[in-house]
Amino acid sequence: MSQPSSSSNPSPGAAPARELFGTKWGFVLAAVGSAVGLGNMWRFSYVAAEGGGAAFVVVYIAMIALLGVPLMLCELTVGRRTHLSPIGALRNLGGRAWVPLGVLFVVTGFLILSYYSVIAGWTLRYAAEAVTVGFAPDPGAHFGAISQGAAAVYWHLAFMVLTIGIVMVGVQKGIERAAMILMPTLFLIVLGLAVWAFTLEGAAEGYAFYLMPDFNELLDPTVLRQAMAQAFFSLSLGMGAMLTFASYLSRDTDLNQEAVTISFADFAVAFAAGLVVFPVIFALGLQDQVSESTVGALFIALPGAFEAMGGPGRVVGLLFFLALAVGAITSAISLLEVVTSSIIDEFKMARKNAAIGMGVLIALAGLFSAFNTDVLGLVDQVAGDLFLVIGALGMSIFVGWFMKEDTAAELARGAGEGFKAVIPTVLFLVRWVLPPVIAFVLWFAMGDALAAIGDFFGS
Ligand code: PHE
């Protein structure tokens, strides 16, 4: 299963002796760790329930297969081909004109991590409270008190310190080792919770609310736009995270198989999280709180439910927020790694200095979100929605039309016969389907982002 690592460095353009993942599973789990995060548990269940239940899930699966997997293959190919971080990789394969796209990736990673860490801080805090004082009897007021201001700042900083600590250590000893321990833990917790939730009274109503198919919702372009943005965000696409991880891959792995594995695992965890969230909320009759906001579902209704369950609720709640924090940390690692690896490559800086320096800057930028959740929402919309879609568009155009290497040959390297047969289809999607579809969605995302910016500064 494991392959020799760092023994050879086949890429001519890369810095000497680039550290590689030690094992195939190390890479896959790190990439799944990047994908599985707050997006799966915080956003997916809510967006799905609101967007048409099972009908949404079907469309979402189609989007992952037709847009997500091909785009992930683009990123993986570029990363593995060059063994460089995003800016260098795009320069290497496309020339200077593509450097701005790499810079956009780094900026997006920087911005997403700045607020992502604030939300992750909330989850850490809830996990700690489950152990120490239990969940608050008035979860709405409690969330109001801890989600912004000094309380939020401490936990945000604590989370950033953890993230920096792992990235600083390096690819094998930091990122890979963390993923190998944390990801199986997360899978077990989520699976266990889903089984437990099945036994709750009211589980059936919860499933019905989550999955009741409503095809009318799918005629709404906003729902489709949200589904696509959710797919990109959840798969960590459009900002070079997968590209960066693939740059630590040795040459002979089957990228096709890996893209499918990563995407499937990401979807499975998101789907399973919904199977936990809704039965719990319906068992306690807290459904009214769900429809208000995404944050409401996760950080208000759920703690409320755990509190109402008494002692067992504390255990279950601890496990739930622990899983969330674990998902968040492995995603945060990949966000910081995009920024760090670019600084290492572009400025020939030592990893430790780059990780600490950039981590501190991101932590400082995150203070704006920690002090004001309106800022958090705005940065999420601009970076997490708009920039990712722009990045995804740029990436598909680049790989489909401008890359100087033979994409088909690169994908075929190490691929099994079955996958070789679908490579022409993948290339067709990348050239002819992804750019127009993403551009169409971008149009709406831009309008929504501008409106949000206007609201923010107007009020
Ligand atoms: N995919 C992560 C999640 O679902 C978020 C993320 C986005 C991580 C982009 C890295 C890059 O929570």
Side-chain angles (χ1 to χ4, degrees), residues 34-40 112 116 233-236 239 241 331 334-335:
S34 169
V36 171
L38 298 172
N40 298 60
I112 292 183
Y116 199 82
F233 185 86
S234 188
L235 293 172
S236 304
M239 43 94 35
S331 297
S334 72
L335 289 161

Side-chain angles (χ1 to χ4, degrees), residues 277-353:
V277 168
F278 292 106
V280 171
I281 288 171
F282 275 74
L284 277 297
L286 297 172
Q287 46 270 36
D288 292 349
Q289 298 182 15
V290 186
S291 39
E292 284 160 23
S293 74
T294 32
V295 173
L298 205 57
F299 290 100
I300 299 176
L302 278 176
F306 294 139
E307 201 271 332
M309 287 174 189
R314 268 175 84 164
V315 177
V316 174
L318 169 64
L319 288 174
F320 184 86
F321 283 105
L322 218 53
L324 213 56
V326 163
I329 190 115
T330 50
S331 297
I333 289 171
S334 72
L335 289 161
L336 182 56
E337 181 60 24
V338 169
V339 181
T340 303
S341 70
S342 303
I343 298 292
I344 295 174
D345 285 358
E346 292 300 310
F347 300 104
K348 309 276 168 273
M349 214 188 239
R351 166 169 287 274
K352 204 166 156 195
N353 298 342

